[in-house]
């Protein structure tokens, strides 16, 4: 069965510092991976997605993620965090062809001044 | 751009009441789905649809019904509300892209409290 693990429930980063959010997945076939961000009281916004090809994926708002098959990981990174990045971040794995996403439990990012 | 629209945004129900959460999308997407979000559990799939007239169960379908009579609408029905159904509900739609690639677009959510 598919599963996604986000080991960090909360992370606090100083504004301007770099960020890495961890995501490990379990999937029997080629995974299709996504990172979503959720601001308080809002829906989910897609940051980036990986289907195939280049393992380093660029997304919106300066985020990137690297797919590492050998480690079953899809970690999200940003070189310099802004206060507006404070939100909850979800990693998800999807089945090809239709909409059945399996989500991790999320990581809440706090940004300190 | 309306995208995915969910109504209502907030709802309080008494145990045993029934209600329908509405979801509409204006992007002509084939696929639609319902998730519930609970603290510490991420989002879990309730039901999904791959086209009008076709629905299937997700991970947590008990207590919920769906139907898909049009491409645009995918309502979620709670038959007899229970406190365990207190949650935030998200509707999503997605397209059938090249090479079967797709991405999901989410509504703003419905916060449901069952007392």
């Amino acid at each position: 069965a598919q599963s996604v693990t986000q080991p960090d429930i909360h992370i606090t980063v100083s504004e301007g510092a770099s960020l890495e959010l961890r995501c490990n997945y379990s999937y029997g076939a080629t995974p299709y991976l996504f990172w979503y961000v959720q601001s308080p009281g809002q829906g989910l916004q897609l940051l980036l997605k990986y289907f195939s090809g280049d393992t380093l994926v660029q997304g919106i708002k300066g985020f990137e993620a690297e797919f590492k098959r050998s480690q079953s990981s899809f970690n999200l990174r940003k070189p310099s965090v802004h206060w507006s990045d404070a939100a909850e971040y979800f990693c998800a794995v999807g089945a090809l062809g239709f909409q059945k996403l399996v989500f991790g439990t999320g990581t809440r990012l706090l940004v300190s001044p | 751009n309306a995208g995915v629209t969910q109504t209502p945004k907030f709802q309080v129900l008494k145990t045993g009441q029934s209600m329908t959460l509405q979801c509409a999308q204006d992007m002509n997407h084939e696929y639609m789905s319902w998730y519930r979000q609970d603290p510490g559990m991420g989002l879990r799939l309730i039901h999904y649809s791959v086209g009008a007239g076709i629905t299937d169960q997700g991970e947590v379908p008990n207590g919920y019904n769906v139907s898909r009579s049009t491409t645009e609408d995918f309502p979620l029905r709670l038959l007899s509300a229970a406190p365990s159904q207190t949650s935030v509900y998200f509707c999503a739609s997605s397209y059938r892209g090249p090479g079967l690639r797709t991405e999901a677009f989410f509504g703003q959510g419905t916060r449901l409290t069952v007392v």
Side-chain angles (χ1 to χ4, degrees):
Chain A
Q2 304 166 39
S3 67
V4 176
T5 301
Q6 293 182 248
D8 303 305
I9 298 174
H10 296 100
I11 281 185
T12 300
V13 175
S14 299
E15 189 168 16
S18 64
L19 170 69
E20 183 169 25
L21 302 183
R22 295 182 290 167
C23 173
N24 292 97
Y25 67 89
S26 174
Y27 191 65
T30 302
Y32 299 91
L33 296 157
F34 307 82
W35 274 100
Y36 284 87
V37 61
Q38 184 182 32
S39 298
Q42 300 297 310
L44 280 77
Q45 181 182 22
L46 180 69
L47 284 176
L48 47 78
K49 58 192 176 187
Y50 171 80
F51 292 114
S52 65
D54 194 346
T55 56
L56 187 61
V57 180
Q58 301 297 320
I60 63 172
K61 303 185 180 187
F63 286 92
E64 66 178 26
E66 186 170 13
F67 171 62
K68 292 186 178 180
R69 186 185 298 274
S70 61
Q71 298 177 20
S72 298
S73 69
F74 189 57
N75 294 348
L76 182 71
R77 301 194 295 244
K78 186 170 185 178
S80 178
V81 168
H82 188 262
W83 64 266
S84 60
D85 293 324
E88 190 153 22
Y89 292 79
F90 292 95
C91 181
V93 63
L96 179 65
F98 53 88
Q99 186 52 53
K100 286 180 70 175
L101 291 175
V102 174
F103 284 84
T105 51
T107 297
R108 183 168 298 279
L109 173 65
L110 305 173
V111 180
S112 61
Chain B
N1 292 338
V4 179
T5 302
Q6 292 183 235
T7 55
K9 287 185 170 50
F10 301 93
Q11 183 70 50
V12 179
L13 287 180
K14 293 182 179 178
T15 298
Q17 287 185 317
S18 63
M19 81 159 293
T20 299
L21 308 186
Q22 301 291 344
C23 176
Q25 54 97 2
D26 62 359
M27 298 173 282
N28 201 33
H29 286 172
E30 289 180 272
Y31 311 135
M32 296 186 74
S33 49
W34 277 101
Y35 293 85
R36 60 177 288 173
Q37 182 179 26
D38 302 293
M41 302 190 74
L43 282 79
R44 293 177 293 168
L45 182 65
I46 304 172
H47 286 284
Y48 66 96
S49 168
V50 299
I54 306 170
T55 64
D56 205 347
Q57 296 181 351
E59 180 185 356
V60 288
N62 292 342
Y64 307 96
N65 273 359
V66 292
S67 60
R68 184 109 179 262
S69 56
T70 67
T71 299
E72 294 79 19
D73 300 299
F74 191 44
L76 178 71
R77 297 181 187 84
L78 280 69
L79 309 173
S80 177
S84 62
Q85 294 179 303
T86 294
S87 187
V88 181
Y89 292 85
F90 287 99
C91 179
S93 74
S94 54
Y95 56 87
R96 186 182 176 91
L100 300 182
R101 300 177 178 188
T102 187
E103 72 176 82
F105 296 80
F106 284 82
Q108 293 297 297
T110 295
R111 185 174 294 274
L112 176 67
T113 302
V114 182
V115 297

